């Protein structure tokens, strides 16, 4: 297909081609990302209030994107008790090469409230551009082993692109600790029959997790290595896939790891 055009689903559900949005085109240029959640020290101390999650998305040491949760206050509190069913909405701003705000709400991730039970009606988050066109989606299927964290990354038609899976027996899951193999959980990114990349979740470890979380600026950190992701695709579809990988890090954090979002009103401008 035309590498300058991206096929999407319009708000009415009809497929159409659009010019590749600048934010997605930018995401297609880079081979790796670092997604870092901001700390809400009040939430880290009291543990009973669910603040807005906020994330900086970096390429190397430069901040290119900023993601902020827009979920309402009442719905945020449900995330602690009914994480499978709770809705959430996250807006992703395109900051550009110099970290200056250029395009607010360039992408939106949205999960609707759902009645989820075991393998029935599994959680799905969809990604939209600024005009409300559907770019793709990420589904959390029901794994055979409950401790196995799995995700299916899909295009605008919900057709398979990549699969991410943690497996059941990583040291970082069984014994999180800030050293050696215990400090990370790896999610290999696979297509039909081969590895194409990896998402690495950096664990906080026992000290940060249970004792003094409020002393540290970082909370949940994800490293995405996607150099080989999208080989064989045109530039537009490769960029779509990489944008969804950034969404995968955010979705993984919402689904499986403790949220200590930054409730500070100061945004990354």
């Amino acid at each position: 297909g035309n590498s300058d055009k991206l096929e999407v689903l319009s708000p009415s559900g009809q497929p159409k081609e659009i010019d590749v949005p600048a934010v997605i085109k930018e995401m297609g240029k880079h081979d790796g990302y670092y997604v870092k959640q901001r700390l809400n020290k009040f939430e880290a101390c009291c543990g009973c209030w669910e603040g807005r999650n906020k994330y900086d998305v970096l390429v190397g040491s430069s901040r290119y994107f900023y993601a902020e949760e827009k979920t309402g206050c009442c719905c945020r509190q449900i995330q602690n008790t009914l994480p499978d069913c709770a809705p959430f909405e996250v807006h992703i701003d395109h900051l550009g090469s110099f970290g200056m705000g250029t395009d607010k709400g360039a992408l939106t991730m949205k999960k609707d409230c759902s009645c989820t039970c075991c393998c029935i009606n599994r959680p799905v988050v969809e990604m939209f551009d600024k005009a409300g066109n559907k770019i793709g989606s990420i589904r959390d299927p029901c794994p055979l082993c409950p401790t196995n964290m799995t995700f299916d990354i899909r295009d605008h038609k919900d057709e398979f692109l990549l699969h991410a899976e943690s497996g059941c027996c990583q040291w970082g899951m069984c014994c999180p600790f800030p050293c050696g193999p215990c400090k990370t959980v790896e999610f290999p990114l696979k297509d039909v029959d081969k590895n194409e990349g990896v998402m690495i979740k950096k664990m906080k470890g026992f000290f940060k997790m249970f004792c003094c979380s409020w002393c540290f600026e970082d909370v949940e950190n994800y490293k995405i290595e996607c150099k080989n992701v999208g080989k064989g695709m045109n530039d537009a579809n490769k960029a779509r896939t990489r944008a969804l990988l950034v969404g995968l890090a955010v979705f993984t954090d919402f689904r499986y790891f403790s949220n200590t979002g930054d409730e500070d009103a100061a945004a990354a401008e």
Side-chain angles (χ1 to χ4, degrees):
N2 190 337
S3 62
D4 295 325
K5 296 290 184 178
L6 182 69
E7 187 170 319
V8 297
L9 283 187
S10 69
S12 63
Q14 299 300 314
K16 68 175 185 178
E17 286 191 340
I18 62 171
D19 294 330
V20 181
V23 60
I24 294 180
K25 189 177 291 187
E26 183 68 51
M27 288 179 171
K29 294 179 182 178
H30 307 287
D31 294 333
Y33 297 94
Y34 189 63
V35 181
K36 181 177 180 179
Q37 185 185 3
R38 295 187 178 187
L39 174 67
N40 178 351
K41 294 187 177 182
F42 173 75
E43 184 179 349
C45 290
C46 73
C48 62
W49 177 260
E50 188 65 37
R52 292 178 296 160
N53 288 355
K54 298 181 181 181
Y55 306 86
D56 292 315
V57 183
L58 299 92
V59 178
S61 59
S62 300
R63 192 165 58 110
Y64 275 68
F65 310 98
Y66 169 71
E68 180 175 347
E69 183 179 6
K70 299 296 184 180
T71 317
C73 176
C74 293
C75 289
R76 287 203 309 270
Q77 310 318 310
I78 300 174
Q79 291 170 6
N80 283 326
T81 54
L82 296 169
D84 286 355
C85 305
F88 71 80
E89 183 171 333
V90 175
H91 290 186
I92 300 176
D93 300 341
H94 181 199
L95 304 179
S97 303
F98 301 101
M100 303 298 291
T102 57
D103 191 4
K104 289 186 172 294
L107 294 173
T108 297
M109 295 176 59
K110 187 174 182 180
K111 177 189 176 296
D112 293 327
C113 184
S114 61
C115 183
T116 299
C117 181
C118 298
C119 61
I120 300 172
N121 203 22
R122 295 298 299 168
V124 175
V125 63
E126 296 179 313
M127 181 177 284
F128 303 92
D129 69 5
K130 205 166 190 175
N133 299 307
K134 181 179 174 181
I135 304 299
S137 65
I138 306 166
R139 182 175 183 267
D140 182 351
C142 187
L144 294 177
C145 177
T147 59
N148 187 13
M149 295 175 280
T150 60
F151 299 93
D152 289 330
I153 300 169
R154 313 181 298 183
D155 67 9
H156 59 297
K157 295 180 180 178
D158 292 337
E159 295 179 355
F160 175 81
L161 291 174
L162 292 170
H163 179 73
E165 183 172 350
S166 68
C168 305
C169 301
Q170 294 194 50
W171 283 105
M173 296 168 61
C174 304
C175 183
F177 199 76
C179 63
C182 297
K183 67 180 180 181
T184 60
V185 176
E186 294 190 1
F187 295 77
L189 307 171
K190 305 176 183 178
D191 63 3
V192 176
D193 57 3
K194 63 180 180 181
N195 291 345
E196 291 202 340
V198 65
M199 181 177 74
I200 303 170
K201 165 70 171 67
K202 183 180 178 182
M203 306 296 292
K204 289 183 290 185
F206 288 125
F207 186 65
K208 284 187 181 182
M209 195 175 296
F210 299 116
C211 299
C212 297
S213 291
W214 56 272
C215 293
F216 301 89
E217 292 183 356
D218 61 318
V219 188
E220 311 291 356
N221 299 315
Y222 302 82
K223 182 180 180 181
I224 301 168
E225 298 177 0
C226 53
K227 182 177 181 178
N228 295 319
V229 169
K231 278 190 173 180
M233 298 180 183
N234 64 27
D235 290 343
N237 285 319
K238 180 172 72 173
R240 180 210 309 272
T241 304
R242 294 185 178 189
L244 287 166
L245 286 177
V246 173
L248 173 65
V250 175
F251 191 35
T252 302
D253 191 55
F254 270 90
R255 291 289 298 127
Y256 291 111
F257 298 99
S258 59
N259 297 318
T260 50
D262 184 357
E263 194 63 20
D264 187 359
E269 265 126 35

